[in-house]
Amino acid sequence: MNGVPPLTLKFDPRTIEHLGVRMYSHVPNAVAELVANAYDADATRVEVRIGVDRSIAVVDDGHGMSRDEVADKYLHIGRNRRRAEQSVMTESGKRRVSGKKGLGKLALFGIGRVVEVTTTRMGSPYGTRITMSYQDLIDSDGDYRPAEESLLVDGAEHGTKVVLTDLRRKTPIDPEKLATSLSRLFNYTDDDFRLIVVDSKSGETEVSRERRLESLDQEFTWRFPNDFGDDDSFLVEHDVRGVIVSTVRPLRNVPRGVTLYSDGRMVNEPEFFGASESSHAYSYLTGHLDVDFVDALDEDVIATDRRALVWDSAEMETLRRSLAELLTRIGREWRTRRSDERKRRSRRRTGIPTEEWMESIRSRESRRAVEAVLDHVSSEDFDLTADQEATLIEDLHRLAPPYADYVWRRLHPEIQEASRTAYEGGAYHAAIVEGIKRYVAEVSRRTGIPRKNEADVINGAFGKNGKLKIFGKYLNAYDFTSETADNIEVGQHDLSAGLRMAFRNPISHEESEALQSSGALTYEDCLDALSILSHLMRRLDGAERR
């Protein structure tokens, strides 16, 4: 239109404040942008140097930039490198470009007010240095010109050095913590790429993928794609890879959840993607997965600060749902594996074989009750230490030992000694027979009646005129009638004779098995008979010779 000025889109310099200071207020996230630039420049070694003057410098041996490239590329805010250069690969063609939005350079003002960039293009005798001041940038009218100088350099020199000074952070930077934080922001797998944090006091600290998990007391590990299941077809088809681990104790200083990476850079902070089952397990789970395909989608689904993906599209929603289902399954597997491992650990510490212990308790109700207590003791809800758990199991073992039904009957020690082997072997008729034999032997010893005939021993020992008085000591101490005493003496005889007649009469081995397999003689019948024998034996303990 004649005489009318063209429409112009203007940028307020304060935009830098929102895209830099507000979005990148943490040192690792801002430094990560420089590391990504170095990676995209095909650098093989990148050093993050912490200066004694409270400066941070990121130095790489990449191909560097010419002055024209600084002007047209580095100082071009919002330049999409992949679109501009029509390639997703770096200059060498060996790496996929990890940067895309062209906003990372603004991150530097989030941690330092002065940024100095010194760069030399590979093969050039000249280098370029620019210095940018955050305050000058904010005070400009939107057309900012940084300080510039040209440098004469060694022809073999190349790469870029970015120095951040006048830091906003007032506290010292811990090199170990910085290295660990950076390890969580990158997942580069190139063998020819090294990232190192350098400090004048502590020296060099390597940043590696393993650093994220190596300090953890790991318990279980899931490695992908090997541990994907039939329901993880979407993740398999999209070549998702990585590792998820669980720890022995709840995570404290390490983020819980799974971090997502694409082309070596974090694109989604640790989370569980909406998985709701087995939430207790999530206190123990962490890991990382590579979802490189999201960076190749037509739609840009990676947020500017690379802390979260945009889940709006159908494919991204399928990814989120698939991850949630995967973590739900891992949560269930964790509970099962954790429970089994705790049982094995307790068995090693206590020497108690839990499965055999439970199987030895014949009463279904009693067994279920003991199992319930064991499950509670081993439950993650209690989160006991191994020592605490072992102590409780040992106490429970004393309270409800193997063959607890047998022990709980409080059998007479002599009867228990005589019958234990047969009872624990499941030979219930033999257990009763051994108990009777021990009882008759003790009666014979006390009376002197030979054991040639068990009936003669019992008949001679008990009754009104037997050699042993079962109730004599009570008759003199209390005002019982003689009739009461006679009845008890006869009762001892009749119970002894009846028990012997019911179980001691010789029967063949096959008939004994038939009794048990048919249900005609159960472990409960055995315990009842041994309990009667114990009663008779305790009466015998207090017997007197006539």
Side-chain angles (χ1 to χ4, degrees):
M1 297 176 63
N2 295 330
V4 179
L7 296 175
T8 303
L9 177 64
K10 294 186 177 181
F11 292 91
D12 188 319
R14 289 282 173 184
T15 302
I16 306 300
E17 182 176 359
H18 297 290
L19 293 178
V21 179
R22 301 284 176 81
M23 190 169 291
Y24 295 93
S25 58
H26 299 292
V27 170
N29 299 80
V31 169
E33 295 295 337
L34 294 174
V35 173
N37 288 345
Y39 179 84
D40 290 348
D42 290 314
T44 59
R45 180 183 176 91
V46 180
E47 294 183 0
V48 180
R49 300 174 182 173
I50 302 173
V52 293
D53 58 349
R54 295 192 67 256
S55 66
I56 299 176
V58 178
V59 183
D60 71 65
D61 61 356
H63 50 61
M65 295 178 286
S66 66
R67 183 186 183 283
D68 288 343
E69 286 172 323
V70 172
D72 298 337
K73 298 178 181 180
Y74 187 80
L75 294 178
H76 186 168
I77 303 299
R79 174 180 180 271
N80 188 315
R81 172 174 179 168
R82 301 183 197 182
R83 188 179 299 121
E85 300 181 10
Q86 298 291 306
S87 175
V88 297
M89 305 303 292
T90 61
E91 189 173 299
S92 67
K94 297 179 180 179
R95 297 174 180 170
R96 284 183 60 89
V97 174
S98 62
K100 181 165 65 174
K101 301 180 186 298
L103 296 174
K105 58 187 68 69
L106 301 180
L108 309 183
F109 293 115
I111 59 174
R113 296 179 178 85
V114 177
V115 178
E116 180 185 273
V117 181
T118 303
T119 183
T120 300
R121 180 67 179 176
M122 183 180 293
S124 173
Y126 298 101
T128 301
R129 175 178 294 148
I130 61 172
T131 304
M132 297 180 288
S133 164
Y134 173 76
Q135 192 58 52
D136 291 346
L137 182 60
I138 293 298
D139 293 340
S140 71
D141 58 1
D143 188 12
Y144 176 67
R145 294 178 176 82
E148 171 192 354
E149 62 179 305
S150 180
L151 308 171
L152 184 63
V153 298
D154 184 337
E157 185 178 333
H158 60 86
T160 301
K161 178 180 180 180
V162 180
V163 182
L164 309 177
T165 56
D166 194 8
L167 302 186
R168 299 177 186 275
R169 179 186 177 123
K170 302 305 179 186
T171 57
I173 297 173
D174 186 320
E176 284 286 337
K177 290 183 178 179
L178 178 57
T180 300
S181 296
L182 289 173
S183 73
R184 294 173 184 152
L185 296 174
F186 294 101
N187 202 35
Y188 294 136
T189 58
D190 310 63
D191 293 333
D192 62 345
F193 182 77
R194 293 185 66 198
L195 175 57
I196 301 166
V197 175
V198 181
D199 178 70
S200 59
K201 295 181 180 178
S202 57
E204 296 186 355
T205 303
E206 186 94 21
V207 178
S208 64
R209 292 185 300 161
E210 293 73 20
R211 188 179 185 87
R212 280 170 285 178
L213 303 177
E214 66 183 7
S215 63
L216 301 179
D217 188 6
Q218 300 180 26
E219 188 169 30
F220 307 121
T221 303
W222 291 263
R223 298 187 183 280
F224 306 103
N226 291 346
D227 289 331
F228 280 137
D230 295 338
D231 296 331
D232 303 317
S233 57
F234 179 88
L235 303 177
V236 174
E237 292 167 3
H238 287 75
D239 198 28
V240 175
R241 298 172 178 271
V243 61
I244 297 175
V245 303
S246 67
T247 52
V248 175
R249 305 293 295 173
L251 292 164
R252 294 286 184 256
N253 300 318
V254 175
R256 304 170 184 177
V258 176
T259 308
L260 300 183
Y261 296 86
S262 181
D263 291 331
R265 291 193 66 188
M266 186 182 77
V267 293
N268 203 93
E269 290 186 327
E271 63 165 299
F272 293 100
F273 311 100
S276 58
E277 190 173 333
S278 187
S279 59
H280 186 65
Y282 300 155
S283 297
Y284 298 79
L285 295 179
T286 187
H288 51 87
L289 295 173
D290 293 321
V291 290
D292 293 346
F293 76 94
V294 304
D295 209 11
L297 296 175
D298 293 336
E299 180 184 358
D300 188 356
V301 297
I302 303 174
T304 301
D305 61 359
R306 308 186 73 90
R307 299 177 65 181
L309 290 169
V310 179
W311 304 97
D312 294 343
S313 67
E315 190 162 21
M316 292 301 293
E317 176 55 34
T318 303
L319 171 61
R320 188 182 188 95
R321 184 175 64 253
S322 299
L323 292 172
E325 291 171 354
L326 172 67
L327 287 165
T328 297
R329 174 171 62 81
I330 288 177
R332 289 197 298 265
E333 290 180 4
W334 174 84
R335 293 186 73 90
T336 300
R337 293 170 67 175
R338 176 92 164 180
S339 177
D340 292 343
E341 177 59 27
R342 288 174 75 104
K343 289 176 182 177
R344 284 192 292 270
R345 189 167 63 243
S346 294
R347 178 172 179 170
R348 288 196 299 268
R349 293 179 67 87
T350 64
I352 300 170
T354 307
E355 293 78 10
E356 291 87 336
W357 173 19
M358 292 301 100
E359 289 175 2
S360 76
I361 302 176
R362 310 299 185 190
S363 168
R364 185 176 301 176
E365 291 184 0
S366 298
R367 183 168 62 251
R368 284 178 177 173
V370 177
E371 285 176 337
V373 175
L374 271 178
D375 287 342
H376 286 306
V377 169
S378 300
S379 169
E380 297 303 325
D381 296 333
F382 285 98
D383 199 24
L384 300 174
T385 65
D387 288 337
Q388 290 171 329
E389 184 177 334
T391 298
L392 284 174
I393 290 176
E394 287 169 345
D395 288 341
L396 179 61
H397 187 262
R398 281 189 286 270
L399 184 63
Y403 304 98
D405 327 71
Y406 180 82
V407 176
W408 285 338
R409 289 295 178 120
R410 298 291 186 266
L411 299 179
H412 188 284
E414 290 289 333
I415 299 301
Q416 195 174 89
E417 180 184 292
S419 62
R420 178 182 289 276
T421 300
Y423 179 87
E424 292 182 357
Y428 303 129
H429 180 263
I432 299 171
V433 170
E434 291 304 312
I436 292 174
K437 286 163 64 176
R438 179 66 61 90
Y439 173 64
V440 172
E442 183 62 17
V443 173
S444 174
R445 186 186 69 79
R446 286 171 177 265
T447 61
I449 302 174
R451 291 178 55 192
K452 293 180 181 179
N453 188 306
E454 291 182 349
D456 290 344
V457 175
I458 291 173
N459 291 334
F462 306 120
K464 292 181 181 180
N465 300 310
K467 287 191 173 185
L468 296 177
K469 291 196 296 182
I470 298 300
F471 202 65
K473 64 179 181 178
Y474 302 107
L475 185 62
N476 298 327
Y478 298 92
D479 191 19
F480 292 115
T481 66
S482 58
E483 184 179 2
T484 297
D486 289 342
N487 288 340
I488 291 175
E489 299 293 348
V490 172
Q492 182 81 7
H493 171 273
D494 291 351
L495 278 175
S496 302
L499 199 62
R500 177 184 169 278
M501 287 295 293
F503 297 102
R504 185 68 174 100
N505 283 350
I507 59 176
S508 69
H509 180 70
E510 289 74 20
E511 289 174 324
S512 177
E513 279 193 355
L515 280 172
Q516 292 185 195
S517 61
S518 67
L521 180 67
T522 66
Y523 81 92
E524 291 153 312
D525 297 324
C526 174
L527 291 176
D528 290 342
L530 294 177
S531 295
I532 296 172
L533 271 173
S534 293
H535 165 73
L536 294 174
M537 188 68 91
R538 287 192 176 90
R539 288 288 193 195
L540 185 63
D541 287 342
E544 301 171 347
R545 290 286 296 265
R546 290 186 186 275

